Amino acid sequence: MRLTGAQMIIKALEEEAVETVFGYPGGTVIPLYDALYDSKIRHVLMRHEQAVGHAADGYARVRGKPGVCFVTSGPGATNIVTPLASAYMDSIPVVVIAGQVATKVMGTDAFQEADIFGCSMSMVKHSFLVKSASEIPKAVRGAFYIATTGRPGPVLIVLPVDVQNEEGEFVYPPKLEFPGYHPERNEDLTMWGDAVEAINKAERPLLLLGGGVIHSRASAAFSSFIDEFRMPVATTLMGKGAYPEGNFLSLGMAGMHGRPAANRAILEADLVIGVGTRFSDRTTGRATCFAPNAKIIHIDVDPAEINKNIRASHFLIGDAGKIISGLHREIKARDRSAWLKRMEKFKQEEVCDDDSSYITPRALLMSLRKMVEPQQIVSTEVGQNQMWAALHWQVKFPGTFLSSGGLGTMGYGLPAAIGAAFALLDRPALCISGDGSFLMNVQELETCVRYNLPLKLIVINNSSLGMVRQWQELFWGERYSATNEAPSRSLVEIARGFGVKGYRIERSHEISSTLQMALNQDGPTLVECIVPTKEKVFPMVPPGGGMDEMILEA
């Protein structure tokens, strides 16, 4: 089959069963968009390339398959760098196809030329710089293979415009091998016997589940293991939903803004089994104070994570689902009722009262949670809104909580929710935002209206850049530099200017009725929730501090 390079890209995407691509056209991808014109692949036009990448990320998390996006060269390509870095940090399979100037002028500072291949190298799992049409089938096949095998991640294909116009024979390879890339060979179970013995001997074991459990589709296997052996469970931010929150054995999220029960359990455990987590600083606090009384068993698919941040007593490298299923067959049940009673005491101490005339984020989110189905997909922005959601939004199913964890990207939540909305096939998507993050990609409200997406945006407006302001209040002598400049207009006015229905909640008694009204609307809807500027996220482990220094209130 003889095709142009652009036609090969589209044909290859069809071979990969791609249904949706997110993009923004430009000069160097006109041939690609011309080829797309004749395809049944749905193209979603976003209003900024950063939003293009985050939408593909959200789509990937919900559908469990790579999100795909198109951008042009130069500024189009550099605008995709942040989404690449965010997807890389969170291990999300995204395939980005970026245009480039013609091969003969590459390196001459041609119009809209930027070395996206070079500048993104540390933010992708792999990159392909395609220099002839004959390389395209292998590049696309390879991109999908690499993005989805081993530890998932983003892959970049750089496509010069002249290569898109070049003709050649299209033969799509059924299977590829890349020298040096053999994720199936990374398995290392040499410490299996020691790990089994440590688990069987532990009197106060704790599971810490990260995003890798969700990526490996291993949540059901872990739930079976946890329920049989009755071990308490904490999660990282990326691991929310790996085990149903609200269950007796669930302690919630651990870390800087983790639940007190989860952090106290880590301090008292004699064994912590970390699965699919990189033990980031936001999870562990000061590393020397993390789980001081515990042996650490680290289970991960990526050998590079072992002993990187926390020294493991034992490690097992491989697929999380296979490993936990194997352990399930060898672990012995034992009575740990005293440890579980201790966990229940910790959780009872967390109960707090929301009897207030003003809106508290906890009351808002818990009220909203009761109004939607357990499988509801929710994305968050980054900042206080993200941590309030992590603390108070109980996640019952894996893959239903979307958040930029590793990079912490403000502006992620709205486009990610758009991606989720397309992945959900007309089921509603929710986005929880702060006023600062909301304005980062506010132009995507137009995308919501144009496609009439069933997207509900809950904006917690405290008229400040709340997380930075909180640090300034607690640790910088209340010197509020550049954080107290509130948006100049009501966010409801801004939303309505785009054609989005808008509601405003100012008092606690308005929460239930207004949220219900917004949820019952067709199409995109925004609810602006006015929260006091001084409202803070607690608990909080001070930056650089240990979990034993957790602050519970100001």
Side-chain angles (χ1 to χ4, degrees), residues 495-537:
R496 289 173 178 168
F498 281 97
V500 173
K501 302 178 191 73
Y503 299 89
R504 185 179 174 95
I505 304 176
E506 297 184 355
R507 308 294 287 181
S508 61
H509 70 269
E510 302 168 347
I511 290 175
S512 181
S513 59
T514 307
L515 287 178
Q516 198 65 63
M517 194 183 324
L519 292 172
N520 288 335
Q521 296 294 317
D522 294 328
T525 308
L526 177 142
V527 181
E528 180 181 14
C529 310
I530 306 303
V531 170
T533 299
K534 291 181 70 68
E535 190 77 10
K536 289 180 279 295
V537 182

Side-chain angles (χ1 to χ4, degrees), residues 64-357:
K65 58 190 293 187
V68 181
C69 51
F70 296 164
V71 295
T72 192
S73 63
T78 55
N79 282 341
I80 206 74
V81 168
T82 296
L84 281 173
S86 185
Y88 184 72
M89 290 283 279
D90 290 349
S91 303
I92 307 302
V94 173
V95 175
V96 175
I97 299 174
Q100 184 55 288
V101 299
T103 53
K104 64 182 178 182
V105 295
M106 287 173 61
T108 67
D109 294 329
F111 177 68
Q112 288 193 334
E113 180 186 5
D115 181 17
I116 185 63
F117 183 87
C119 76
S120 65
M121 195 165 288
S122 65
M123 303 170 190
V124 295
K125 192 175 177 186
H126 191 68
S127 299
F128 294 90
L129 175 57
V130 179
K131 294 187 176 180
S132 70
S134 62
E135 300 173 12
I136 288 175
K138 181 178 179 180
V140 177
R141 182 74 181 88
F144 279 81
Y145 170 65
I146 292 171
T148 56
T149 51
R151 180 178 183 171
V155 178
L156 172 68
I157 300 174
V158 181
L159 198 62
V161 65
D162 56 328
V163 175
Q164 296 174 51
N165 288 318
E166 179 188 337
E167 288 191 353
E169 291 294 324
F170 179 82
V171 179
Y172 204 58
K175 187 178 180 180
L176 287 176
E177 289 191 7
F178 293 91
Y181 183 69
H182 301 287
E184 71 282 356
R185 299 181 190 175
N186 285 334
E187 187 176 88
D188 184 348
L189 305 178
T190 54
M191 293 189 176
W192 184 274
D194 293 334
V196 169
E197 182 180 5
I199 297 171
N200 283 331
K201 285 183 176 180
E203 296 180 358
R204 302 184 305 281
L206 174 74
L207 278 138
L208 178 63
L209 305 184
V213 175
I214 296 172
H215 298 325
S216 66
R217 302 292 186 267
S219 297
F222 275 88
S223 292
S224 176
F225 178 90
I226 292 161
D227 292 343
E228 178 169 344
F229 297 110
R230 297 180 64 75
M231 294 185 188
V233 185
T235 73
T236 66
L237 175 67
M238 296 303 299
K240 275 179 68 71
Y243 182 78
E245 294 185 309
N247 282 19
F248 169 69
L249 294 166
S250 172
L251 303 177
M253 185 183 75
M256 174 177 276
H257 292 289
R259 300 195 71 90
N263 287 352
R264 287 170 174 162
I266 288 172
L267 290 172
E268 294 193 13
D270 63 359
L271 177 71
V272 173
I273 308 170
V275 190
T277 172
R278 47 195 184 87
F279 290 108
S280 78
D281 57 306
R282 286 298 173 98
T283 295
T284 65
R286 188 164 62 245
T288 54
C289 298
F290 178 78
N293 304 305
K295 291 183 177 180
I296 307 292
I297 296 176
H298 194 175
I299 300 171
D300 208 283
V301 74
D302 186 357
E305 292 299 337
I306 305 300
N307 295 328
K308 187 175 80 174
N309 296 320
I310 294 293
R311 189 77 183 173
S313 309
H314 314 295
F315 62 82
L316 301 171
I317 300 172
D319 177 77
K322 292 180 181 178
I323 288 175
I324 202 64
S325 295
L327 290 174
H328 197 156
R329 292 189 292 268
E330 297 193 35
I331 300 302
K332 299 174 183 177
R334 59 175 297 178
D335 179 18
R336 297 188 176 97
S337 55
W339 178 231
L340 294 181
K341 286 179 182 177
R342 184 78 170 146
M343 297 302 97
E344 190 60 25
K345 181 177 183 294
F346 288 162
K347 288 199 286 185
Q348 288 173 354
E349 292 171 354
E350 292 182 351
V351 175
C352 58
D353 187 6
D354 281 318
D355 185 16
S356 173
S357 60

Side-chain angles (χ1 to χ4, degrees), residues 437-469:
S437 287
F438 167 71
L439 293 170
M440 284 281 190
N441 268 316
V442 67
Q443 76 284 340
E444 298 310 322
L445 290 180
E446 191 280 332
T447 305
C448 297
V449 172
R450 185 160 26 93
Y451 292 102
N452 194 33
L453 298 178
L455 194 154
K456 311 305 174 188
L457 182 61
I458 312 300
V459 184
I460 302 173
N461 185 358
N462 57 6
S463 300
S464 70
L465 301 179
M467 186 60 86
V468 181
R469 186 195 180 284

